[in-house]
Amino acid sequence: MAKDKNKVAAPGELLGVEEEYVPGQNVYVEEGKLYSNGSGVVEVDSQTRKIGVTAGKKAAVPEAGDIVEGVVVPPLKDDSALVRIVAIKGKKRLNGNFTGVLHVSQVAKSYVNIIHDAVNLGDRVLAKVVTNWPPYQLSTADDDLGVLYSTCTRCGEELVMRRGGLFCRRDKLYERKKVSRSYLVKED
């Protein structure tokens, strides 16, 4: 229970009971018990017996419109790819693990038959967040978005940008992908 000064509460943490405290900011009541509705410092007004939680800094979480960098992880289906979000452009480090879903209809402005024509496992991608809730819906349709780094699906060698496509120097073949203008490895 929240008796300590400068106590920090986590979301859903038990703070007290209705007989003891009156719920304040960021506190909810369930079956007579008071719980924290978010992370922050617990504050108790000794005169009114009101207990509340004052949020600290806002956590860095993906929001609609954010540009994120991620890695395509299993499972990879014909119609969608799971993306582990590793960074948000222009924001501090992420607070926690976040996952996005890239649906084949959100890959490009033109028609893409299956997700394997745009991304593969292990690809590093730049995408736009479309929704504000997990799993976050992602889009790579804009020209600046898409695959940032990839390896050959046959041999594992690094793919290089050559004449607008991704080329494997070892196997001497091109791989079809939705490539970002910011692709990291360009041919000399």
Side-chain angles (χ1 to χ4, degrees):
M1 308 256 179
K3 303 255 193 250
D4 301 323
K5 199 169 188 145
N6 298 326
K7 177 179 173 32
V8 176
E13 185 173 331
L14 178 65
L15 301 174
V17 293
E18 279 187 297
E19 291 84 14
E20 189 177 11
Y21 298 111
V22 175
Q25 179 182 357
N26 293 321
V27 174
Y28 66 94
V29 180
E30 191 171 289
E31 295 180 8
K33 296 179 181 174
L34 284 73
Y35 296 92
S36 173
N37 199 31
S39 297
V41 177
V42 177
E43 293 182 357
V44 179
D45 184 325
S46 58
Q47 291 181 356
T48 63
R49 301 303 300 157
K50 188 181 260 188
I51 189 167
V53 178
T54 303
K57 284 186 182 177
K58 186 177 177 191
V61 297
E63 296 174 353
D66 283 345
I67 302 299
V68 297
E69 193 171 323
V71 178
V72 178
V73 296
L76 186 63
K77 301 177 182 178
D78 285 346
D79 67 344
S80 63
L82 200 60
V83 177
R84 181 173 45 88
I85 298 170
V86 297
I88 304 172
K89 208 171 182 179
K91 291 189 179 178
K92 291 187 177 182
R93 286 186 5 187
L94 290 174
N95 294 346
N97 298 316
F98 299 99
T99 303
V101 176
L102 178 60
H103 190 266
V104 69
S105 65
Q106 294 289 323
V107 169
K109 292 175 184 171
S110 59
Y111 177 77
V112 175
N113 188 34
I114 61 173
I115 202 78
H116 303 281
D117 289 341
V119 297
N120 280 305
L121 290 176
D123 285 355
R124 193 145 187 119
V125 297
L126 196 61
K128 180 189 273 186
V129 178
V130 179
T131 59
N132 280 322
W133 55 86
Y136 299 93
Q137 300 300 306
L138 304 175
S139 172
T140 58
D142 293 348
D143 292 338
D144 292 341
L145 307 177
V147 176
L148 285 172
Y149 178 82
S150 187
T151 56
C152 178
T153 54
R154 281 192 181 171
C155 69
E157 287 288 316
E158 180 175 81
L159 294 176
V160 297
M161 176 68 84
R162 177 191 277 183
R163 294 185 214 124
L166 296 184
F167 182 74
C168 176
R169 291 178 178 157
R170 183 174 181 190
D171 291 336
K172 308 287 187 227
L173 60 89
Y174 282 90
E175 287 200 16
R176 193 176 349 177
K177 305 235 185 207
K178 168 48 173 95
V179 184
S180 167
R181 286 184 183 162
S182 302
Y183 191 78
L184 298 173
V185 185
K186 300 186 174 152
E187 192 169 54
D188 301 327

